[in-house]
Structure formats: C-alpha cells, structure tokens
Amino acid sequence: MSQPTATVRELIREHYTDLTQSERKFANALLENYPAAGLASITIVAAQTGVSTPTIARMVQKLGFKGFPQFHQALLKELQAKVSGPTERRANWATEAPESHLLNRFAKAVTQNIQTTFSNVPSEAFDAAAQLLANTDQTLFIVGGRITHALADYAFTHLQAVRPRVIHLTSSSATWPHYLLDMARGDTLLMFDIRRYESNLLRLAELARERGVDVVLITDQWASPVAEIASHSFTCWVEIPSAWDSNVSTLMLLEALIAAAQEEAWPQTKARYERLDGLFEQTRLFRKPGSQ
Amino acid sequence: MSQPTATVRELIREHYTDLTQSERKFANALLENYPAAGLASITIVAAQTGVSTPTIARMVQKLGFKGFPQFHQALLKELQAKVSGPTERRANWATEAPESHLLNRFAKAVTQNIQTTFSNVPSEAFDAAAQLLANTDQTLFIVGGRITHALADYAFTHLQAVRPRVIHLTSSSATWPHYLLDMARGDTLLMFDIRRYESNLLRLAELARERGVDVVLITDQWASPVAEIASHSFTCWVEIPSAWDSNVSTLMLLEALIAAAQEEAWPQTKARYERLDGLFEQTRLFRKPGSQ
DNA sequence: TGCCATGTGGAAAGTTTTTTTCAGAACAGG
DNA sequence: CCTGTTCTGAAAAAAACTTTCCACATGGCA
C-alpha cells in the first residue's frame, strides 16, 4: 500500500470521488460494517455486497493496493492494532479523534438527548398526532419560532409532499391574523416552541384553540406554556454544552411523525410522490438520482 | 468447527498433548503472537514458523477443524468479537411501545446512521472546516437544495449569531449570480447537497471555486458531484425505511460544526451573543426565558 | 544390526481464489 | 436520436492456496 499510515477508511474517503457507482456500493457497505464486511474472500465479499468480483478488485487497486490480498492484509493489521492498542474505549465516535475532541463530546451529549427524548414519547399521543397530520379532510398549518422556523420549514416541505392542504405560516407574525381567518374547527396546527418561548406563539395557539383547532406542539424539556392548550405535546431534550440548544432530537421526533403520517395514508401518498417526481423531471431541475 | 464455543487458544491447550514436535512449534508460535501468527495463508504461516504446510494442515485437523480455511475463519471471528465488544444493543427506545412500533424502528435506523456518520468524520477536515466557518476576515455564504434549504436556513440563523458577514443564498437559483458577483478569494461557501443532487448547486460550486472560494460540502453517503471540487466534504448517512431521506445525522454534523466554529472564536462570539440578547430584550419579542 | 512405528516435508493433485479479458449495457454529450 | 465513453459482470485464465500422497528420516526396540 502506498500510504503506510493511512487506514483503509481514510483511503476510501480520500478516493471516494474516483469511485464508480458499484464501487461505492461496496465502499459504503464496508464503512457501515467496518471492517467485517471486507474480511472474507473477494468472492464472498462481492456476493454479500451485490457487486461482481472484478468491481471489488478494481476498487482496491484504486485505493492503492496491489490486489485484494494486500487490501485484506491491511484490514487485518488494523484490526489487530485495535485489539492490541491501549485499551481501546469504544466510547469514541470519530474513531481517530481523541475522546476529548469536540466531535466526541458533542456526540455523547446529543445521543443522550435522543435517548431521553424517545424514551419519553407516549406512543398513543404519537399515533394520534400522526393521524392528525395525515388527515387530509382538514387543513394543516405549520409554524415555528425564531430558531425553529427552519424545522417548521422542513416539516412543511415534507408534509406537502405527503398530503395536500398544508400551509406554512411565515415567520413574520404580522401576517398570522390572515391565516387565523381561514382556520376552521378540526384543522390542525403543528407548532414548534423551544426556549426562549415566544409570546406570539402562545397567543396564536390560544386564538387557534378558540376556533376549535387541534394544536400539536413540539417543545423542549422545560415545556412551552403552549403545552397547556395543546391537544398533544411532545418534549424533546435539547441541552448541549454550548450557548444554544441542539435540535437534533427535535428533528428526529419530527421526522418520526412525518414517517408515521406518511404510513398512515400510504396509497395516496405514493401516488402523490410519483406525481411530484414527474413534475420535477419535467422542470429538469434535477440530475438523475444517485445510486440505490 | 466442532466445539462452537471454544476459542482456538483453548483448543490448543486441550489438544496440546496430542501434538507432535513440529506441530507444537507452530502452536507455541501462535500462542506467543496470538492471533496474528495464524492470520496469513497456510503457506506463509508455515514458512514463518519454520515448519511445512502439511504439518499445519494436520494440526488444525487435530484441533477439530475441517481444514485450514475453517481454522482461519475461527481466528478472524474471535478477533472481530473482541473489537466489537459487549454489544450493548438498546432494545427499545420508546419504552412502552412494542419493538415493531414505528418509533422504535425509526430510532434504530437513525441511531445507526448517526453512529456511522460520526465514525467516518475525518477530524482534521472537521477542524479545518470549523476554522473556515469561524474566519471573520472573510465572508461566509450558505446555500442548500430543495430539501436542505431548511438546514441552510438553520445554519444561517446560528452562524449569524456567532459571527458577522454571513450570507444566506435564497433558494431561488435565479438570484445566485448576484451573490457570485461578491464572492472573493478566501471566502467560504457552505453547501448542502443531498440526493437527488441538483445541477444548479454543482454549477454554483464550480463558479465559486473558480473565484478562489473554499467550498465546504455536507452531503450524503452517495456523495454529491460537488465533492470533487470541495475543499472539505462531509458524508452523512441518511437512509431510513421510507420514501425520503433522514436529515438527523446531517443536522447533527452541522450543529457540531457550528459548535466548533463558536469555540474557535469564543471571546468575540460571547460579546456578540450578549449584544444579540440585549437587542431582543429591547424589541420585547420574547417572554422571559424558561426555567434554568 | 535390522525392523517397525512414527513424524516430517517435497511435490503433485485438487481446489479455491484472484485477476484478466471482453462484450454488452448504461450513460453523457453533441 | 445518435456516438463515443465509461462502467459492469460473466467467463476464462492465471495464480495461489490447500490437501493428499509418498518417500525419507528418525528413533525405539528386539
């Protein structure tokens, strides 16, 4: 191998752009299950990945190995080094970085948040909220705060693909009265409110509630005052060692809700997705999709 | 292998008395340098130990293996098991819901994505990118695609709080040439490109690159073509059992980058945060912060 | 000393793995 | 819609590996 110090992982990263579609398929399989996915014979490895042996052979040469056996040996050496190394703690995420590196500290905190968040989701409320989000007989309004308007935007983009009648309340609260005008009994308002809670949002929620709108709230562990009004509210753990809050768990819960809403009404959703795809094709905005 | 639970080490000890002189020579060599001395091909292993290949072959059969390949596999498995450690798989996330509930399936997939993503972040590139994001001498441009513009928006909101001279390229690509006009050598362009990759973004990256702008790319495991141009590119695993891709790992990486950039220039950032807070107070947009 | 049992490795035979070749398929660009 | 390029995997060829066979060496024993 040309770079004696580089790990196979690094070599893949370095050469990734040179790799073809099938080669990447194997590269990804290996990175996802490292290094186990590369330890068998080339024949077996190829079969497991779903590509041909020549593809693997070509790829390891691109990585700088003379042939598959050399590649195989390199993986083995890494594995050994890992075992014999100084009491390898698997707590490290960014495998090469020290435990104290921000990447690892950050990963630890966020993982903890996700864990706590998901452990505390009441599944009936979740299912009920998903049903509300999927209910196409009524309109769905989405709104977020200063920071969370990006999440609201994300929710809007996806839910719009899932169902019709989705409306995103722009962040300028001056225009909210216009939207309130159109809210009707049975509609749903999906609201994000993470500290510092905005009084605007509370007022909006109150007015919506008065009109018989179901409020679904996604908030943080200190709970926005909107929670008292909401039909369903979900608590996300957001604290990280930083001046601001992490929204990873928030996004994760949101995505879960979208996935659930999508499953709720799959036949219609599927047709809708296909129409959307067709429209994109026509506007030629996009290249052909990536592999897989 | 006949005794599925026994390690090769134990097998050798158990059968040691049955072994002949040359066989013991190999057994000792293996025990002294375990398991490295047994990981190569039978030919090499034999040569290194100073015995013949038939000797090795006979011995592994005495140990209960069908042949050398089986023996080899057994060693490999032990090594892997050692690395992956006590596989602490979290069974259920949403504690009260059944494993098959969408919440749990979803959590499992996303956790896997996060784990893989963070394992594959090259820490030098991460540090370098953070430095670019924190460099206030130059302008920072941020742009995203159809789905990822929400992430770009999120990045913009936070980075704007961290430093001056941050510009968010609105999603309408018609206006991009205006921004290009102002890009100068040494500026940074933070770009999100998740499949399906948009040709607009590639062209933008190319033009920016020509002007001497450093492109920091956040993409998915199939790698946007922009990766070939980018100064630093980061791969996020985004696949979930769904028609669309999850951006949890993407957001997590983004937040880590923001946190790193913030740490990079904390004194200025801190003062800036305080000024921002003061401004919010004055505009009375917000209630008093939540507890803690 | 001669005979036999046992251990050992060279080399052939057999098997598997790896590499190479090549033709068709997919794709980008004109 | 065509054209040249790149990519891919089936299959053949080459290489490597593993096993088997067998002759030879060694050492115990009558």
Side-chain angles (χ1 to χ4, degrees):
Chain A
M1 97 195 225
S2 51
Q3 277 117 323
T5 52
T7 67
V8 172
R9 200 172 228 143
E10 286 163 352
L11 284 173
I12 290 179
R13 211 140 53 200
E14 185 183 331
H15 292 274
Y16 198 82
T17 51
D18 302 339
L19 302 183
T20 69
Q21 213 167 308
S22 320
E23 286 166 355
R24 288 180 186 193
K25 205 168 163 190
F26 169 59
N28 288 328
L30 178 56
L31 290 179
E32 280 165 38
N33 182 15
Y34 188 90
L39 289 179
S41 77
I42 193 174
T43 322
I44 293 167
V45 161
Q48 280 176 349
T49 315
V51 299
S52 65
T53 51
T55 300
I56 309 265
R58 280 188 291 259
M59 154 157 168
V60 299
Q61 282 177 9
K62 278 190 191 171
L63 256 42
F65 297 98
K66 194 173 154 288
F68 185 82
Q70 284 71 34
F71 164 81
H72 191 257
Q73 280 298 107
L75 279 179
L76 276 178
K77 250 195 203 135
E78 277 178 38
L79 196 55
Q80 271 177 243
K82 216 170 177 180
V83 167
S84 57
T87 339
E88 176 80 21
R89 290 292 312 127
R90 70 179 260 95
N92 279 20
W93 288 75
T95 34
E96 17 120 17
E99 183 149 1
S100 61
H101 191 280
L102 185 136
L103 266 173
N104 287 317
R105 294 194 333 260
F106 190 84
K108 209 168 285 174
V110 172
T111 311
Q112 180 64 49
N113 282 340
I114 290 175
Q115 152 77 35
T116 313
T117 302
F118 268 65
S119 299
N120 284 292
V121 174
S123 61
E124 324 79 44
F126 179 86
D127 295 338
Q131 212 141 26
L132 285 178
L133 296 187
N135 176 12
T136 52
D137 296 338
Q138 304 280 339
T139 306
L140 170 63
F141 295 87
I142 304 178
V143 68
R146 180 172 71 99
I147 301 286
T148 47
H149 81 262
L151 288 174
D153 190 359
Y154 189 84
F156 172 68
T157 309
H158 276 92
L159 286 168
Q160 198 182 28
V162 169
R163 51 162 285 176
R165 309 184 70 179
V166 187
I167 291 176
H168 181 196
L169 277 64
T170 54
S171 56
S172 159
S173 57
T175 66
W176 290 353
H178 297 239
Y179 293 107
L180 271 165
L181 212 53
D182 287 339
M183 288 188 190
R185 175 162 301 280
D187 284 352
T188 304
L189 172 61
L190 174 61
M191 178 176 279
F192 296 84
D193 197 16
I194 303 287
R195 73 171 179 189
R196 307 143 115 228
Y197 315 116
E198 301 172 27
S199 46
N200 282 333
L201 285 173
L202 178 58
R203 236 168 291 140
L204 175 66
E206 284 166 350
L207 292 170
R209 177 75 278 193
E210 278 171 23
R211 274 159 189 72
V213 172
D214 280 307
V215 177
V216 175
L217 172 70
I218 296 184
T219 183
D220 58 31
Q221 71 233 63
W222 301 287
S224 149
V226 176
E228 292 178 38
I229 307 169
S231 307
H232 306 291
S233 75
F234 300 96
T235 308
C236 298
W237 269 252
V238 300
E239 234 179 7
I240 49 172
S242 160
W244 40 281
D245 291 322
S246 162
N247 276 296
V248 172
S249 58
T250 327
L251 179 67
M252 189 158 161
L253 181 67
L254 169 61
E255 283 192 354
L257 277 170
I258 297 171
Q262 183 192 268
E263 232 175 42
E264 197 72 38
W266 180 235
Q268 298 102 291
T269 305
K270 192 182 175 199
R272 200 173 160 84
Y273 263 74
E274 280 158 6
R275 281 213 310 289
L276 182 63
D277 249 35
L279 290 168
F280 275 125
E281 276 307 317
Q282 282 173 38
T283 55
R284 298 186 168 279
L285 266 172
F286 297 91
R287 284 167 38 110
K288 274 280 153 60
S291 62
Q292 293 198 12
Chain B
M1 118 186 211
S2 52
Q3 276 117 323
T5 52
T7 68
V8 172
R9 202 172 227 138
E10 286 163 352
L11 284 174
I12 290 179
R13 220 171 279 144
E14 185 183 334
H15 293 273
Y16 197 80
T17 50
D18 303 341
L19 302 183
T20 69
Q21 207 172 313
S22 319
E23 285 166 359
R24 288 183 186 188
K25 204 170 163 188
F26 168 59
N28 290 332
L30 178 56
L31 290 179
E32 276 165 37
N33 182 14
Y34 188 90
L39 287 178
S41 75
I42 192 173
T43 321
I44 294 167
V45 161
Q48 281 177 346
T49 316
V51 299
S52 67
T53 50
T55 301
I56 310 268
R58 279 188 293 260
M59 153 156 166
V60 299
Q61 282 177 9
K62 278 190 191 169
L63 256 44
F65 297 99
K66 193 172 156 290
F68 186 82
Q70 284 71 32
F71 165 80
H72 192 260
Q73 280 296 106
L75 280 179
L76 225 57
K77 248 193 204 138
E78 278 178 36
L79 193 56
Q80 267 179 246
K82 214 168 173 181
V83 167
S84 58
T87 333
E88 30 143 3
R89 295 291 308 133
R90 183 163 311 289
N92 278 18
W93 286 78
T95 32
E96 20 115 17
E99 179 146 10
S100 61
H101 191 281
L102 186 136
L103 266 174
N104 285 318
R105 290 191 340 256
F106 190 84
K108 209 166 281 174
V110 173
T111 310
Q112 177 67 48
N113 282 340
I114 290 175
Q115 155 77 38
T116 310
T117 301
F118 268 66
S119 296
N120 283 292
V121 174
S123 60
E124 325 80 45
F126 179 85
D127 295 337
Q131 212 142 25
L132 285 178
L133 296 187
N135 175 12
T136 52
D137 296 338
Q138 303 277 342
T139 307
L140 170 63
F141 296 86
I142 304 177
V143 67
R146 179 172 71 97
I147 301 286
T148 47
H149 81 264
L151 288 173
D153 190 358
Y154 188 83
F156 173 68
T157 308
H158 276 92
L159 286 168
Q160 200 183 26
V162 169
R163 51 162 286 176
R165 307 183 71 177
V166 187
I167 292 175
H168 182 196
L169 278 66
T170 54
S171 57
S172 159
S173 59
T175 66
W176 290 352
H178 298 239
Y179 293 106
L180 271 165
L181 212 52
D182 289 337
M183 287 188 190
R185 175 163 302 279
D187 285 352
T188 304
L189 172 61
L190 173 61
M191 179 177 276
F192 296 83
D193 196 17
I194 304 287
R195 74 173 178 187
R196 309 140 114 222
Y197 314 116
E198 300 171 28
S199 48
N200 282 333
L201 285 172
L202 177 57
R203 237 168 289 140
L204 174 65
E206 282 167 349
L207 293 170
R209 178 77 278 200
E210 280 171 23
R211 275 157 189 72
V213 171
D214 280 308
V215 177
V216 174
L217 172 71
I218 296 184
T219 183
D220 58 29
Q221 72 233 66
W222 301 287
S224 148
V226 175
E228 292 180 41
I229 306 170
S231 306
H232 305 291
S233 75
F234 301 96
T235 308
C236 298
W237 268 251
V238 300
E239 233 179 6
I240 49 172
S242 160
W244 41 281
D245 291 322
S246 162
N247 277 297
V248 172
S249 58
T250 325
L251 179 67
M252 188 160 164
L253 181 67
L254 169 62
E255 284 192 353
L257 276 170
I258 296 171
Q262 184 192 266
E263 232 175 43
E264 195 72 38
W266 181 234
Q268 298 101 293
T269 305
K270 192 182 175 201
R272 200 175 159 84
Y273 263 74
E274 280 159 4
R275 281 212 313 288
L276 183 63
D277 250 34
L279 289 168
F280 274 128
E281 276 306 317
Q282 283 173 39
T283 54
R284 300 186 168 277
L285 266 171
F286 298 92
R287 282 167 43 112
K288 275 277 151 64
S291 59
Q292 294 201 14

